[in-house]
């Protein structure tokens, strides 16, 4: 027990010390989080009327962000599968960073859902036994179960790995492997369940397509790893963590395949709607071309399409994949493209035109944008905190001392150019 | 609410009046088929012609009834014509090519209406007159499916006479001014 | 009946009660002042699901609500929890050959069911459709406003909750705050709903509405005869819908719904589907009836028909 307490105290010391860049980053995030909190207070006191959601479009920007982030969280699997299942060395050491991304993304997901519901004071109604969880009939009840399970699972795995490394011990495979193996179907499950909760609604023909769950998974495997690729480059530049180019290029290649599947499935959907030309083509018509003079989403979706196709080509062609300039451009394009396509480009057309044919053009209000920004800042803040602890552990700069109790913190300067780092202290 | 109560009291009074009439020597009553509304609610008195319906008073123009006040002294004129001296405000727009006033209003007793068989009926039973030509509507009305009904879904219901909604001389249902449109979602702040 | 729609088992209730007692004990141990207002807040926060309330708990809840509403609206408000009648399944008929689109049903409903005036909530939405095109919802006009109705060449189709036999909305609620009662009415426990609005996404008829803001109900227009699952004043952040005027129809004898009574052309018919003598059965058996969005297999108990 005392060991864990010392470890925890050590982490507190770690997170409160860093370079100027670190402080600036954390401070800006805190400011954004404070603004978000104030915005939420405003929303709580006035009700959800401060958003642009109305009866006709009852889900909007918050749920769009939630859907996108569930995909990012699921994508941690992309790193876990090769790392632990195939024991592929170049990725193994850094897979834990992917799991921590999953944790941060899950935190953001839960926050987005909390700010979206009308009565957050009644959240306890969702707990089984204390409240009344409509499991297994309601897909949202499933989502509550799998999302929290996935969050806890990834947190336990990441903390376990870090703690073991901190103690300079090898993780116990009997405890560890089952959890890792379980996290793979868990990751697939969170996104499948989220897809099913849209898919199961017969009232919304845009969502009621069997192709939705595969599309979700395909697009998830594009967005999360793209973020990781950019993050790895930052980490290996500013810390002592070694990330081989091979690992990065391999992830990029996997993204290319996922994006191909995503684009193919999208093409299949588009063909079916426009060729069969039933009345159910209306939402897709609204999304891509506008409907009856309403065309709010058209520029966004075409931007997303162009970004996705360009990024796909950049990742597919080995020359552009292995050139860091084009690779990073591809990552940014794909992240934004999937954010649009799976966020507003999925949720809003599902509700427009509404079930009685009415078109209400939804565009998020300032409140929604500020609050979402605050939640993203929270997620980044959590992730930075986790990295602040994990990276020194992985580079052997934060470990338990020889007395087996007090932690040793070698370098309190976090985020500095590798050339200026003090010589490493490896035991 | 008050109007409903008054209507009900009136309806019951009328029903009571007919009860007395019926009790005072009507032969065995027979029920018409397919009148579910008639079975429920307050006791429905029967006449030889079928069940009575508890309806509110006919919507006479004030002072016009009883017609016999004026017509008792007047000599009836059976010639088909357009009236010029009195009742000029009534322009017949209801099978006017086939009928005129005295096809429905009894020539001998203006307080009564006249069925095709020659039978005279009271204005409170005017639905029987309408029902002669409008059989499908009459059947639906008796079942409670045609026309406005208020009251209890499993208890006493109020029927209206045909003429409460349809002016017998110009029965087309007149257009109404619609109530306000719903507020558009963009305007809900 | 699906498991989730039946009452909780006794054992389940027992463990929940114990849990709630434990939580309440902890809270009590915090020694809160015994002021009325905070006690009310406490009770309403921990209030159990409607279907789990024991009779004496139910009485306490109803009394608390009556006190709250009577104070808020400055009149004697009654909140009842009349149970469903045996042998009754409510059905509704709407005569499309008669409806003239006058919207009197919309506003009669608003008055009877204590809906928010600002922001506006209507349970009934009347659609204007073209006779030539038939029922084509993509071309429906919601905001028609001519001088008089009906307009030539058009017909009118009011849409409200269809009280489906296989409701997609009750399936998706994560906390079982909405369910179908034995007499066929789909109800919402406004004190249990968490406002996630999944049911609104699931309803194919646009029948469910959300309280985006604190409902604006003027005390002069408030109908004091209310039902817990029906027209009692709703709080902010919960979903509400047409309940076939549950506060009227479950009485003995049961009154017609407000929309049926107000319709000037008698286009609305209501009754007990299980009674072979009822108007609604007559309609179904004798008229040309159709179901809106029948392919979705929600099996509504709302039948559009043509009397002529």
């Amino acid at each position: 027990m005392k060991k864990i307490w010392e470890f925890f105290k050590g982490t507190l010391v770690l997170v409160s010390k860093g370079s100027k860049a670190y402080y600036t980053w954390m401070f800006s995030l805190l400011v954004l989080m404070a603004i978000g909190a104030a915005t939420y207070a405003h929303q709580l006191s006035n009700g959800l009327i401060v958003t642009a959601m109305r009866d006709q479009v009852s889900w909007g920007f918050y749920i769009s962000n939630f859907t996108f982030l569930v995909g990012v969280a699921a994508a941690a699997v992309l790193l876990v599968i090769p790392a632990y299942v195939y024991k592929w060395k170049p990725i193994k050491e850094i897979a834990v960073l992917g799991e921590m991304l999953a944790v941060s993304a899950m935190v953001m997901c839960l926050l987005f859902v909390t700010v979206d519901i009308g009565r957050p004071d009644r959240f306890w109604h969702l707990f089984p036994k204390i409240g009344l969880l409509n499991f297994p009939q309601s897909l949202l009840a499933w989502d509550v179960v799998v999302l929290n399970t996935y969050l806890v699972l990834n947190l336990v795995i990441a903390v376990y790995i870090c703690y073991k490394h901190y103690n300079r011990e090898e993780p116990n495979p009997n405890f560890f492997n089952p959890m890792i193996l379980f996290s793979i179907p868990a990751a697939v499950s969170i996104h499948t369940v989220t897809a099913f909760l849209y898919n199961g609604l017969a009232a919304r023909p845009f969502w009621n397509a069997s192709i939705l769950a595969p599309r979700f998974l395909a697009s998830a495997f594009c967005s999360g790893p793209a973020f990781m690729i950019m993050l790895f480059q930052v980490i290996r530049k500013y810390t002592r963590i070694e990330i081989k180019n091979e690992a990065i290029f391999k992830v990029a290649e996997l993204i290319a395949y996922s994006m191909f599947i995503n684009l193919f499935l999208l093409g299949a959907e588009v063909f079916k709607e426009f060729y069969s030309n039933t009345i159910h083509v209306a939402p897709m018509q609204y999304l891509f071309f506008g409907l009856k003079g309403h065309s709010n989403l058209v520029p966004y979706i075409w931007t997303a399409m162009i970004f996705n196709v360009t990024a796909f080509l950049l990742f597919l062609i080995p020359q552009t994949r292995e050139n860091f300039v084009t690779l990073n451009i591809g990552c940014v394009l794909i992240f934004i493209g999937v954010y649009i396509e799976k966020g507003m480009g999925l949720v809003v057309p599902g509700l427009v035109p509404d079930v009685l044919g009415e078109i209400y053009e939804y565009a998020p209000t300032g409140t929604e944008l500020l609050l979402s920004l605050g939640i993203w800042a929270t997620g980044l803040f959590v992730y930075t905190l986790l990295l602040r602890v994990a990276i020194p552990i992985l580079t052997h700069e934060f470990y338990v001392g020889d007395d087996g109790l007090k932690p040793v913190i070698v370098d309190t300067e976090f985020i500095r150019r590798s050339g200026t780092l003090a010589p490493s202290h490896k035991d | 609410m008050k109007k409903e109560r008054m209507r009900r009291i009136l309806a019951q009074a009328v029903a009571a009046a007919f009860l007395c009439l019926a009790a005072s020597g009507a032969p065995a009553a027979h029920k018409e088929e397919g009148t579910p509304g008639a079975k429920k609610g307050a006791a429905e008195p029967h006449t030889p012609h079928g069940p009575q319906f508890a309806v509110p008073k006919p919507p006479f123009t004030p002072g016009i009834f009883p017609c016999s006040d004026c017509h008792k002294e007047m000599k009836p004129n059976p010639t088909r014509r357009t009236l010029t001296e009195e009742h000029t405000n009534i322009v017949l727009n209801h099978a006017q090519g086939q009928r005129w006033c005295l096809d429905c209003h009894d020539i001998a007793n203006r307080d009564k209406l006249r069925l095709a068989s020659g039978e005279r009926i009271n204005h409170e039973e005017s639905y029987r007159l309408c029902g002669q030509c409008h059989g499908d509507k009459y059947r639906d009305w008796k079942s409670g499916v045609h026309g406005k009904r208020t009251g209890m879904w499993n208890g006493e219901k109020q029927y209206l006479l045909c003429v409460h909604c349809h002016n017998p001389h110009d029965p087309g249902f007149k257009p109404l001014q619609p109530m306000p449109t719903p507020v558009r979602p963009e305007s809900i702040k | 009946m699906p498991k989730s729609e039946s009452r909780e088992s006794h054992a389940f209730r027992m463990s929940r009660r114990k849990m709630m007692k434990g939580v309440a004990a902890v809270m009590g141990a915090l020694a809160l002042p015994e002021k009325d207002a905070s006690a009310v807040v406490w009770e309403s926060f921990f209030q159990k699901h409607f279907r789990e309330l024991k009779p004496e708990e139910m009485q306490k809840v109803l009394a608390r609500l009556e006190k709250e509403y009577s104070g808020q609206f400055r009149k004697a408000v009654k909140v009842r929890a009349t149970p469903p009648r045996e042998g009754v399944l409510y059905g509704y008929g709407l005569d499309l050959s008669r409806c003239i689109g006058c919207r009197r049903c919309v506003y009669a409903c608003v008055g009877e069911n204590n809906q928010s005036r600002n922001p506006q909530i209507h349970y009934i939405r009347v659609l204007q459709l073209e006779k030539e095109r038939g029922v084509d919802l993509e071309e429906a006009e919601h905001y028609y406003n001519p001088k008089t109705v009906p307009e030539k060449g058009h017909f009118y189709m009011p849409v409200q909750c269809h009280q489906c036999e296989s409701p997609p909305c009750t399936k998706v609620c994560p906390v079982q705050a909405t369910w179908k009662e034995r007499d066929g009415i789909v109800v919402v426990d406004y004190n249990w709903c968490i406002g996630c609005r999944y049911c609104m996404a699931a309803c194919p008829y646009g029948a469910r509405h959300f309280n985006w803001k604190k409902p604006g109900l003027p005390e002069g227009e408030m109908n004091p005869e209310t039902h817990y699952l029906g027209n009692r004043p709703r709080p902010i952040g919960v979903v509400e819908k047409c309940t076939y005027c549950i506060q009227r129809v479950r009485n003995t004898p049961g009154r017609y719904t407000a929309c049926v009574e107000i319709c000037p052309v008698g286009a609305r018919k209501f009754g007990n589907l299980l009674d072979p003598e009822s108007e609604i059965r007559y309609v179904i058996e004798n008229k040309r009836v159709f179901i809106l969005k029948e392919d979705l297999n929600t099996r509504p108990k709302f039948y559009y028909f043509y009397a002529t």
Side-chain angles (χ1 to χ4, degrees):
Chain A
M1 250 307 111
K2 198 140 195 276
K3 252 178 132 177
I4 296 177
W5 177 238
E6 289 295 326
F7 169 66
F8 181 65
K9 281 204 294 193
T11 63
L12 289 179
V13 170
L14 262 183
V15 301
S16 52
K17 296 227 194 304
S19 64
K20 246 178 132 184
Y22 173 74
Y23 285 133
T24 317
W25 170 248
M26 294 302 255
F27 183 70
S28 344
L29 288 180
L30 279 169
V31 166
L32 287 175
M33 285 161 71
I35 295 176
T39 316
Y40 188 50
H42 168 68
Q43 185 182 283
L44 273 181
S45 69
N46 289 313
L48 283 164
I49 195 109
V50 300
T51 69
M53 294 186 279
R54 297 288 178 265
D55 285 355
Q56 285 79 354
V57 176
S58 50
W59 278 342
F61 197 59
Y62 298 145
I63 298 295
S64 308
N65 278 285
F66 163 79
T67 314
F68 174 71
L69 285 166
V70 174
V72 168
V77 152
L78 190 59
L79 298 179
V80 169
I81 293 178
Y84 296 104
V85 175
Y86 297 108
K87 308 241 188 299
W88 202 62
K89 193 92 184 6
I91 295 188
K92 193 158 182 243
E93 289 107 359
I94 47 167
V96 70
L97 301 178
E99 276 148 12
M100 292 193 303
L101 174 65
V103 167
S104 318
M106 273 293 112
V107 165
M108 284 196 269
C109 287
L110 294 174
L111 283 174
F112 271 117
V113 167
T114 309
V115 303
D116 183 67
I117 65 176
R119 296 302 297 248
D121 57 318
R122 295 181 183 173
F123 71 95
W124 65 271
H125 292 185
L126 282 165
F127 299 160
K129 293 293 173 190
I130 310 178
L132 194 63
L133 191 66
N134 190 9
F135 188 90
Q137 250 210 342
S138 165
L139 264 302
L140 254 183
W142 277 84
D143 228 13
V144 167
V145 170
V146 298
L147 254 51
N148 285 297
T149 307
Y150 190 69
L151 170 64
V152 167
L153 187 66
N154 274 299
L155 199 54
V156 165
I157 292 175
V159 168
Y160 180 72
I161 293 177
C162 287
Y163 189 65
K164 279 292 177 191
H165 274 285
Y166 162 85
N167 276 331
R168 292 179 274 167
E169 292 165 10
E170 272 307 301
N172 176 3
N174 291 331
F175 173 72
F176 187 63
N177 286 348
M179 294 190 69
I180 287 292
L181 282 175
F182 179 60
S183 72
I184 298 166
V188 172
S189 78
I190 60 166
H191 221 24
T192 308
V193 166
T194 308
F196 279 178
L197 82 84
Y198 290 109
N199 202 357
L201 300 180
R204 308 286 174 178
F206 185 71
W207 294 337
N208 193 214
S210 329
I211 220 173
L212 206 66
R215 264 191 80 193
F216 265 44
L217 285 165
S219 56
F221 290 168
C222 299
S223 50
F227 180 78
M228 292 305 299
I229 288 177
M230 292 189 285
L231 182 73
F232 288 160
Q233 294 170 68
V234 169
I235 287 178
R236 73 178 181 179
K237 194 165 192 176
Y238 292 99
T239 72
R240 256 190 271 276
I241 294 223
E242 254 184 57
I243 300 173
K244 295 201 177 56
N245 281 353
E246 290 184 90
I248 292 182
F249 297 149
K250 197 65 183 177
V251 172
E253 197 186 325
L254 295 170
I255 294 180
Y257 302 147
S258 302
M259 182 44 88
F260 169 71
I261 297 176
N262 189 30
L263 288 172
F264 176 70
L265 294 177
L266 170 69
E269 285 251 79
V270 167
F271 168 76
K272 178 253 183 187
E273 291 300 350
F274 284 106
Y275 188 82
S276 311
N277 204 16
T278 66
I279 64 166
H280 296 317
V281 75
M284 201 166 271
Q285 178 93 11
Y286 170 68
L287 179 61
F288 282 102
F289 303 110
L291 192 62
K292 299 203 182 112
H294 299 274
S295 54
N296 247 5
L297 292 180
V298 174
Y300 290 98
I301 195 63
W302 284 108
T303 310
M305 292 296 111
I306 293 169
F307 280 12
N308 281 349
V309 171
T310 312
F312 168 61
L313 293 170
L314 288 176
F315 281 115
L316 187 68
I317 304 168
Q319 289 84 349
T320 47
R321 182 168 72 232
E322 291 169 12
N323 171 329
F324 279 99
V325 173
T326 49
L327 177 70
N328 284 322
I329 292 175
C331 287
V332 171
L333 290 182
I334 229 182
F335 197 77
I336 297 175
V338 175
Y339 180 70
I340 295 172
E341 186 203 329
K342 210 157 144 191
M344 293 272 281
L346 172 84
V347 172
V348 175
L351 302 167
V352 176
D354 83 340
V355 289
L356 296 179
E358 186 177 354
I359 298 178
Y360 165 59
E361 286 227 88
Y362 166 85
T365 59
T367 306
E368 290 175 273
L369 293 170
L370 275 179
L371 186 43
S372 306
L373 193 59
I375 296 178
W376 274 90
T378 311
L380 288 170
F381 187 79
V382 166
Y383 195 40
T384 313
L385 285 177
L386 291 170
L387 287 177
R388 181 69 185 96
V389 171
I391 288 177
I393 291 180
L394 291 172
T395 56
H396 309 282
E397 286 172 352
F398 175 55
Y399 52 88
V400 74
D402 294 323
D403 61 348
L405 216 61
K406 286 250 175 288
V408 173
I409 299 170
V410 175
D411 191 5
T412 56
E413 290 290 322
F414 189 59
I415 312 181
R416 289 169 70 196
R417 295 194 73 86
S418 49
T420 59
L421 283 169
S424 79
H425 183 107
K426 276 201 163 91
D427 232 39
Chain B
M1 282 302 125
K2 239 186 145 190
K3 231 181 167 185
E4 292 286 51
R5 266 182 78 223
M6 287 200 56
R7 274 213 191 143
R8 227 186 302 160
I9 293 172
L10 270 160
Q12 285 172 346
V14 167
F18 278 118
L19 244 177
C20 301
L21 271 172
S24 64
H30 66 273
K31 237 190 256 186
E32 279 181 50
E33 280 180 336
T35 54
K39 283 207 199 133
K40 298 217 166 9
E44 295 289 357
H46 294 158
T47 68
H49 316 288
Q52 299 296 143
F53 292 90
V55 287
K57 255 174 40 173
F60 288 122
T61 318
I64 205 93
F65 195 84
C67 315
S68 50
D69 280 354
C70 296
H71 284 275
K72 226 180 5 204
E73 308 303 318
M74 287 162 62
K75 186 172 182 298
N77 179 356
T79 321
R80 283 170 185 268
R81 63 196 188 280
T82 314
L83 299 177
T84 48
E85 289 162 7
E86 196 55 67
H87 298 305
T88 47
N89 55 326
I90 299 178
V91 179
L92 193 60
N93 186 13
H94 188 193
Q96 60 271 31
Q98 290 86 46
R99 298 178 308 187
W100 81 304
C101 323
L102 296 181
D103 286 322
C104 293
H105 292 274
D106 187 60
I107 190 167
N109 179 358
R110 292 307 158 83
D111 287 339
K112 299 263 186 200
L113 295 165
R114 183 185 166 275
L115 296 182
S117 59
E119 186 190 338
R120 296 189 194 97
I121 58 170
N122 285 319
H123 280 90
E124 284 79 9
E125 270 189 300
S126 51
Y127 48 84
R128 292 176 60 202
L129 174 57
C130 313
Q132 288 182 122
C133 292
H134 301 283
D136 53 345
K137 304 287 187 294
Y138 185 36
R139 271 196 298 282
D140 283 351
W141 178 84
K142 280 189 288 184
S143 316
V145 168
H146 183 102
K148 180 175 159 130
R149 283 184 102 184
T150 51
M152 314 290 170
W153 62 266
N154 69 337
E156 195 191 310
K157 298 178 222 269
Q158 285 84 48
Y159 282 85
L160 294 173
L161 286 171
C162 318
V163 298
H164 280 110
C165 296
H166 302 278
N167 181 339
H169 309 125
D170 186 6
F173 203 94
K174 300 293 168 283
L176 296 176
Q177 187 189 24
M179 294 193 79
T181 70
V183 170
R184 283 180 190 269
E186 296 88 9
S187 317
I188 298 180
K189 295 269 176 275
Chain C
M1 237 199 300
K3 197 163 172 223
S4 62
E5 289 191 27
S6 62
R7 288 186 177 257
E8 295 294 317
S9 70
H10 188 66
F12 203 165
R13 249 184 293 176
M14 287 303 288
S15 71
R16 175 117 28 89
R17 266 187 66 220
K18 284 201 188 123
M19 182 85 76
M20 290 307 300
K21 272 190 179 169
V23 174
V26 166
M27 296 301 181
L30 296 175
L32 283 168
E34 261 294 46
K35 273 197 279 206
D36 250 355
S38 60
V40 163
V41 166
W42 224 239
E43 277 168 31
S44 70
F45 183 77
F46 285 112
Q47 185 185 316
K48 295 200 296 222
H49 190 282
F50 177 78
R51 288 196 289 180
E52 294 175 344
L53 293 171
K54 295 217 289 289
E56 57 284 2
E57 290 171 324
M58 173 93 79
Q59 291 310 314
K60 275 179 79 181
V61 168
L62 295 178
R64 189 190 84 226
L65 290 173
E66 282 183 350
K67 192 153 169 240
E68 187 189 322
Y69 299 143
S70 302
Q72 194 183 349
F73 294 98
R74 295 199 286 204
K75 51 171 88 163
V77 176
K78 293 221 84 46
V79 182
R80 295 192 177 83
T82 324
R85 306 163 69 98
E86 289 304 320
V88 170
L89 192 66
Y90 297 109
Y92 207 106
L94 200 123
D95 190 348
L96 285 181
S97 61
R98 297 278 177 271
C99 178
I100 54 170
C102 68
R103 294 200 185 105
R104 276 151 179 73
C105 49
V106 178
Y107 291 95
C109 168
V110 168
E112 168 68 27
N113 287 300
N114 290 327
Q115 281 141 260
S116 170
R117 309 303 197 257
N118 179 12
Q120 187 193 73
I121 294 185
H122 285 171
Y123 288 168
I124 302 175
R125 180 56 74 101
V126 185
L127 305 177
Q128 182 186 60
L129 298 156
E130 284 176 52
K131 283 188 175 164
E132 255 180 36
R133 298 188 77 118
V135 181
D136 181 357
L137 293 176
E138 304 294 318
E139 302 298 324
E141 179 52 64
H142 297 233
Y143 302 100
Y144 63 92
N145 193 21
K147 275 215 156 66
T148 56
V149 283
E151 279 193 291
K152 200 163 149 57
H154 291 93
F155 70 101
Y156 298 86
M157 192 166 93
V159 183
Q160 64 205 70
C161 176
H162 284 22
Q163 317 292 355
C164 306
E165 273 294 282
S166 172
C169 54
T170 56
K171 251 196 309 202
V172 299
C173 177
V175 291
Q176 285 191 50
T178 182
W179 66 92
K180 186 181 66 162
E181 289 260 296
R182 260 202 334 267
D183 55 359
I185 304 181
V186 177
V187 297
V188 179
D189 180 356
Y190 309 119
N191 284 27
W192 194 257
C193 173
I194 61 172
C196 72
R197 308 187 299 290
Y198 195 12
C199 58
M200 290 174 70
C203 175
Y205 306 109
R208 301 180 76 108
H209 307 274
F210 189 68
N211 284 288
W212 302 99
K213 202 166 132 178
K214 186 161 163 24
L217 178 58
E219 53 185 58
E221 298 177 36
M222 194 249 171
N223 172 7
E225 298 294 323
T226 69
H227 190 287
Y228 181 90
L229 297 169
N231 66 335
R232 66 177 170 107
R234 274 73 71 188
I236 189 178
V238 300
V239 169
E240 58 180 85
K241 56 186 270 307
C242 160
T243 55
Y244 279 178
C245 285
I246 196 171
Q247 67 279 0
R248 283 186 172 208
V249 303
R250 281 190 177 174
N251 288 344
T252 308
R255 281 179 72 191
Y256 276 128
T257 66
C259 45
V260 166
E261 290 208 314
I262 198 81
C263 178
V265 299
R268 289 168 167 273
K269 300 297 159 198
F270 181 82
N272 179 7
L273 288 167
L274 301 179
D275 173 7
E277 309 291 335
S278 63
E279 289 134 50
I280 188 64
R281 281 285 288 266
Y282 181 93
V283 162
I284 296 173
E285 289 162 16
N286 293 295
K287 302 296 177 193
R288 278 157 290 171
V289 170
F290 86 94
I291 300 276
L292 187 60
K293 302 199 189 188
E294 190 166 17
D295 52 315
L296 297 183
N297 203 24
T298 52
R299 297 185 286 135
K301 295 196 293 294
F302 195 98
Y303 305 96
Y304 291 101
F305 66 99
Y306 298 91
T308 340

